[in-house]
Amino acid sequence: MRISDDRYSRDRLRLDLALRFIHHEARTRTIRAWTGLTDDRIRKLYKSYFDRPGATAVPRPRGRSPQQASFFTRTPRVRQEAALLASLCSLLGAFPPRRPPRAGLAHPGFGFAQGLALCQAYEAYRTLVPAARISFEHMIYLFSALTRGDELRLVACAGCGALLVSERMALREARCLSCASLLADREAGVGASAGD
Ligand SMILES: [Zn+2]
């Protein structure tokens, strides 16, 4: 009896998490990796919950998942949003206490709690940033890359200590937007007075 209860609640968790991932337009591959559900079950779940009259349509993403770490550091706006998302993931306990032993995998066997924390982080991010630039799939990529630590890493702003996302091999010290503009103003001020 106990075993079947456990199995039932585990299945329930799996389905709940899959539904939240579907709602955030995650790809089938991602849902499979995080829930362990088969493609067939994900397809049926999608059909029964979203593919019926009156249901809010959720577009089904196709094709490849994002694969570029540089996406998160390319523009100041995306850098800022990546930092916010990473901070939310951290606050909500999505990051494992230490690096998983099988580093290098896209989704190194994280649990339901982490999957749920990622959904909560993404929902908070979308509330805070209405015209968000980072999709749920991109956040999954960001989270995996930060956990592996091979392409991206979490660093503290050299000015205020805020959490930032930086490329692993970045040569300059990381600064948030406001600390960077403060520094630029100070340097411009020094340059101007030196020229006087
Ligand atoms: Zn700062």
Side-chain angles (χ1 to χ4, degrees):
M1 199 61 198
R2 187 66 203 269
I3 291 168
S4 69
D5 281 357
D6 282 355
R7 207 171 281 162
Y8 174 78
S9 54
R10 216 177 149 70
D11 210 43
R12 188 74 243 173
L13 280 173
R14 230 188 263 281
L15 293 174
D16 285 348
L17 189 61
L19 280 176
R20 280 177 93 146
F21 270 54
I22 288 174
H23 183 76
H24 290 308
E25 300 173 29
R27 287 176 164 81
T28 304
R29 184 172 176 268
T30 309
I31 301 170
R32 194 203 315 135
W34 279 83
T35 63
L37 291 175
T38 62
D39 286 8
D40 190 48
R41 237 172 135 206
I42 295 166
R43 211 163 24 238
K44 281 180 183 147
L45 197 62
Y46 181 87
K47 264 197 178 310
S48 61
Y49 281 83
F50 298 101
D51 224 9
R52 58 191 157 83
T56 317
V58 176
R60 267 194 97 181
R62 298 181 193 281
R64 287 170 64 83
S65 300
Q67 296 292 340
Q68 275 202 319
S70 59
F71 170 84
F72 302 99
T73 56
R74 208 173 292 156
T75 70
R77 168 86 196 262
V78 174
R79 264 208 301 276
Q80 201 175 18
E81 290 186 24
L84 172 65
L85 251 180
S87 302
L88 288 167
C89 287
S90 173
L91 281 170
L92 289 160
F95 289 108
R98 60 186 177 81
R99 191 187 291 193
R102 298 180 67 198
L105 292 177
H107 310 289
F110 293 116
F112 295 131
Q114 261 135 358
L116 199 60
L118 285 179
C119 290
Q120 290 166 339
Y122 195 70
E123 284 150 23
Y125 159 70
R126 290 301 302 260
T127 307
L128 293 166
V129 185
R133 306 270 166 110
I134 301 175
S135 69
F136 186 78
E137 275 290 333
H138 271 91
M139 183 197 63
I140 295 285
Y141 179 87
L142 173 68
F143 174 79
S144 301
L146 286 173
T147 307
R148 290 195 311 267
D150 55 352
E151 295 172 283
L152 295 170
R153 60 194 179 118
L154 279 175
V155 294
C157 166
C160 68
L163 214 53
L164 298 173
V165 173
S166 166
E167 287 190 59
R168 181 158 161 71
M169 305 307 267
L171 296 173
R172 282 194 305 170
E173 56 182 9
R175 276 174 202 276
C176 70
L177 274 187
S178 46
C179 289
S181 83
L182 268 176
L183 184 69
D185 286 352
R186 205 178 307 145
E187 282 174 354
V190 167
S193 45
D196 286 345

